[in-house]
Amino acid sequence: LDGSTATCTAPPHPASRVSVSLKMNTVDVSKGTARPAIARSTQTFTYEPSLALHYTDPTIGQIDKTTVVTLATSVILSPLDVLRCRWSVDFVHAGVGVLPTTVYDIPATRLNDTFLTCETPDVAKAYVDQSQDSWFLDSNATATVTVTKNMQAFSNEMPFFFFSRPDVHSIYPAVATINGGTHLLLTG
């Protein structure tokens, strides 16, 4: 690219660490000869297996709240990777229908070599006028989540569902003893 930058594409390779150097052919136009110039140093590059997402917990969350989701993956390996959850969300409302897909990239927190957490996006804030509370009662969203490392490698997708805010209309019985154990019936 210039006097201090070059680009290349990594070829396929089994999972391992490799040394990368730079070899540049210089041509002496007056003599018509090419002499290779080899860099004096190398850098280590790591090939990793493809990132796989095995499951998420929970798989549902309330539409007007954020939910912390735990994701189980294949081995994450490098602790230097920038991990994110990519959420592709389809918002659904009974009166309006399905709105265009919105994509959110949310920072993830690494727990160990296979587990990470991230929050769901604040879906309602993106789609709903907060002064129109009744929207929440008729809205939901479907989503998929993938894990990305450095915005270069992406895992497979897992489903997630955002449900409407519950609305409790009544409780029966309304009174019980302090000992607990009373079965309650909630309607809404």
Side-chain angles (χ1 to χ4, degrees):
L1 292 177
D2 59 36
S4 63
T5 307
T7 63
C8 64
T9 301
H13 195 279
S16 65
R17 301 179 94 177
V18 296
S19 292
V20 177
S21 184
L22 183 64
K23 180 177 180 181
M24 190 170 70
N25 286 329
T26 58
V27 177
D28 185 338
V29 178
S30 64
K31 296 180 182 176
T33 60
R35 292 180 298 163
I38 300 173
R40 289 179 261 169
S41 62
T42 61
Q43 293 291 314
T44 301
F45 179 78
T46 305
Y47 282 93
E48 295 180 341
S50 297
L51 184 61
L53 187 54
H54 299 298
Y55 67 88
T56 60
D57 184 51
T59 57
I60 62 172
Q62 193 168 321
I63 199 163
D64 60 338
K65 305 281 184 197
T66 57
T67 302
V68 175
V69 178
T70 301
L71 301 101
T73 68
S74 56
V75 178
I76 299 170
L77 298 177
S78 176
L80 302 176
D81 288 326
V82 176
L83 302 172
R84 293 187 173 277
C85 292
R86 173 165 281 184
W87 297 90
S88 297
V89 180
D90 293 313
F91 189 82
V92 182
H93 182 270
V96 178
V98 179
L99 299 177
T101 301
T102 303
V103 176
Y104 303 87
D105 290 317
I106 308 290
T109 302
R110 179 188 179 119
L111 300 177
N112 57 35
D113 283 346
T114 55
F115 288 92
L116 53 105
T117 61
C118 67
E119 290 185 345
T120 60
D122 192 348
V123 175
K125 189 177 285 185
Y127 291 106
V128 180
D129 177 356
Q130 298 296 312
S131 66
Q132 300 292 322
D133 284 352
S134 62
W135 256 63
F136 291 117
L137 302 177
D138 300 322
S139 303
N140 62 50
T142 59
T144 58
V145 61
T146 61
V147 176
T148 176
K149 294 168 75 170
N150 306 317
M151 298 302 285
Q152 294 285 324
F154 293 85
S155 73
N156 53 305
E157 297 178 339
M158 296 295 283
F160 192 87
F161 181 72
F162 294 92
F163 59 88
S164 318
R165 180 177 64 194
D167 192 19
V168 178
H169 295 250
S170 67
I171 185 169
Y172 179 82
V175 178
T177 66
I178 61 172
N179 297 332
T182 303
H183 289 100
L184 303 175
L185 176 63
L186 303 165
T187 58

